[in-house]
Amino acid sequence: MQEKIIILDFGSQTTQLIGRRVRELNVYCEILPYNKFPFDDKSVKGVILSGSPFSVYDEHAFKIEVNALRGNYPVLGICYGAQYIAYANNGKVEPAGSREYGRAYLTRFEAQNPLFKGITQNTQVWMSHGDTITAVPDNFKTIASTDKVAIAAYQICDEQTWGVQFHPEVFHTQEGTRMLRNFVVDVCGCKQEWSAASFIETTVAQLKAQLGNDKVVLGLSGGVDSSVAAVLLHRAIGRRLTCIFVDHGMLRKNEFKNVLHDYEGLGLNVIGIDASAKFFSELSGITDPEQKRKIIGKGFIDVFDEEARKLHEVKWLAQGTIYPDCIESLSITGTVIKSHHNVGGLPEKMNLKLCEPLRLLFKDEVRRVGRQLGMPEHLITRHPFPGPGLAVRILGDITPEKVRILQDADDIFIQGLRNEGLYDQVWQAGVILLPVQSVGVMGDERTYERAVALRAVTSTDAMTADWAHLPYEFLGKVSNDIINKVKGVNRVTYDISSKPPSTIEWE
Ligand code: XMP
């Protein structure tokens, strides 16, 4: 049985990060809503309670019967999780004099405590809370303090229950991973056997059992998730998997041809459909970004549906849905926000069962699995690319000519990033075709042509992003190349906006 750690989500922005850190220790974990603890699951080895945007005193604060966990499992409360355990046991939690936010140092801690094994004196931790624990009950002992916070961490005496007011999961807590390791491995006894190879072995066996001799269809996008899902399924069921790769005409230059070639090289049974004429016709004259997305989404389903129906007796639709797409995350109001589906609407429409072999993996784990499966590195490290493709990077209406201009400019930028070794340093990059023309001079001629914006960002999850600080010389060279080689463009700008308040895409 797959041993696991359960992370109960009280709505903190860093809950997913706790999950990632635990997985980085090669320990399997699941993030569940705060009130969905699986009491009948015998493979649970320990519980982590996340932080929360609430104060324990808020009317809408998320509350659980914490004493049902205490004593039955090792428990680690982080921030709100720690405050809540203290509060639920008659400890004192009060608004902090000043909001405790940012760096702090563990000036005093109990070095013998299992949670702090191997931790160095004055180690930096990261605080982010409005309330603070000012008194703990008699059966709690304080095991760490910072310069400002007396009760930075506690343990319940003779019990495997801890609380830390700082965030061990964030990068700025220097030895946070060590503390989580101490809890997960030493206290909970997890074996650190979760690896890409073990995931492939168990998943392939599960897929064989689940799918038997059934036929499966999968929509490829060229992105890493659907590609890894396809190779994994191919390993389990071989040619009973049929992949469909639709070209909506808004892909990068030569992308359809190149990616199709890669897929064939991987031995996949793949059908490539050039549906660009249909999409260009349906998008003609459309300028509204959301309408563009709807037309492309529906068009994709139509093409996919038509092709899949030609295959006989298909029972399953496979998708490259990954963990962040399906975690039931909690918004501040307590509403449960459910996953989006990659090919929304298809399973019901086609009466297919859904198969999502990557639904428990984070993006970096998907990449590790891809490498372990022997997939080419350029497929694995490929930047994210939006489903509607260049359609949302052409501001205003879309024409084949505009797509051609953008493909050429984008190709120069992306190849340039690759040639200079910068591609892997940015999360995502592309060019945007702006709906403006401006005056220029080329040779002796006055020009009145288009402007493009280069966009490159750094990010870890696309939720927040910063503009990439690319070298000026590089930007200068790309600008020159685009203006000299791409007919129709006479001005290049660089987007220096972060997200928030901007977004990565312009539409
Ligand atoms: P934004 O622009 O919201 O983008 O900061 C965040 C990430 O999502 C991608 N993106 C999309 N992906 N369909 C997709 O499949 C879409 O309609 C879409 N819009 C944005 C974007 O490229 C970035 O990685």
Side-chain angles (χ1 to χ4, degrees), residues 3-5 44-48 73-75 160 162 180-191:
E3 58 181 32
K4 63 178 79 133
I5 295 290
V44 177
K45 305 277 285 182
V47 190
I48 298 177
Y73 305 90
V75 177
Q160 293 199 317
W162 284 264
L180 288 172
R181 187 201 167 282
N182 288 344
F183 177 71
V184 163
V185 179
D186 293 351
V187 175
C188 301
C190 291
K191 287 201 212 61

Side-chain angles (χ1 to χ4, degrees), residues 436-458:
V436 286
Q437 283 178 282
S438 74
V439 174
V441 53
M442 268 193 181
D444 293 331
E445 301 255 336
R446 175 189 186 275
T447 59
Y448 188 58
E449 290 176 341
R450 295 184 175 280
V452 297
L454 309 181
R455 181 73 162 142
V457 296
T458 53

Side-chain angles (χ1 to χ4, degrees), residues 188-344:
C188 301
C190 291
K191 287 201 212 61
Q192 297 186 281
E193 287 175 345
W194 169 258
S195 67
S198 72
F199 171 82
I200 293 168
E201 195 183 316
T202 44
T203 308
V204 166
Q206 278 166 6
L207 287 171
K208 280 184 175 162
Q210 179 186 29
L211 302 172
N213 287 323
D214 291 352
K215 287 192 192 163
V216 180
V217 64
L218 177 145
L220 286 168
S221 69
V224 60
D225 303 342
S226 64
S227 305
V228 172
V231 175
L232 196 57
L233 272 151
H234 181 255
R235 189 168 280 199
I237 62 166
R239 301 205 48 100
R240 286 198 301 283
L241 169 72
T242 305
C243 303
I244 299 177
F245 182 31
V246 179
D247 181 3
H248 52 33
M250 320 285 152
L251 297 173
R252 296 195 133 116
K253 189 173 180 176
N254 297 328
E255 177 107 328
F256 185 60
K257 199 174 80 206
N258 293 344
V259 175
L260 203 53
H261 185 256
D262 280 339
Y263 286 146
E264 285 162 356
L266 287 164
L268 296 177
N269 177 15
V270 51
I271 304 172
I273 308 288
D274 177 359
S276 46
K278 166 188 165 73
F279 285 91
F280 276 120
S281 133
E282 289 176 4
L283 285 167
S284 168
I286 304 294
T287 56
D288 177 66
E290 286 316 300
Q291 225 181 325
K292 287 180 186 174
R293 281 192 170 82
K294 281 198 188 110
I295 289 170
I296 293 178
K298 181 176 174 309
F300 180 83
I301 290 181
D302 289 346
V303 175
F304 189 92
D305 188 20
E306 193 183 322
E307 288 310 310
R309 278 179 202 284
K310 291 183 196 159
L311 308 166
H312 293 293
E313 294 168 10
V314 172
K315 293 228 173 80
W316 298 83
L317 173 76
Q319 297 194 141
T321 316
I322 66 171
Y323 205 34
D325 301 333
C326 23
I327 292 176
E328 289 186 50
S329 55
L330 300 158
S331 76
I332 307 235
T333 54
T335 327
V336 173
I337 304 162
K338 194 57 194 166
S339 65
H340 73 269
H341 283 295
N342 285 348
V343 194

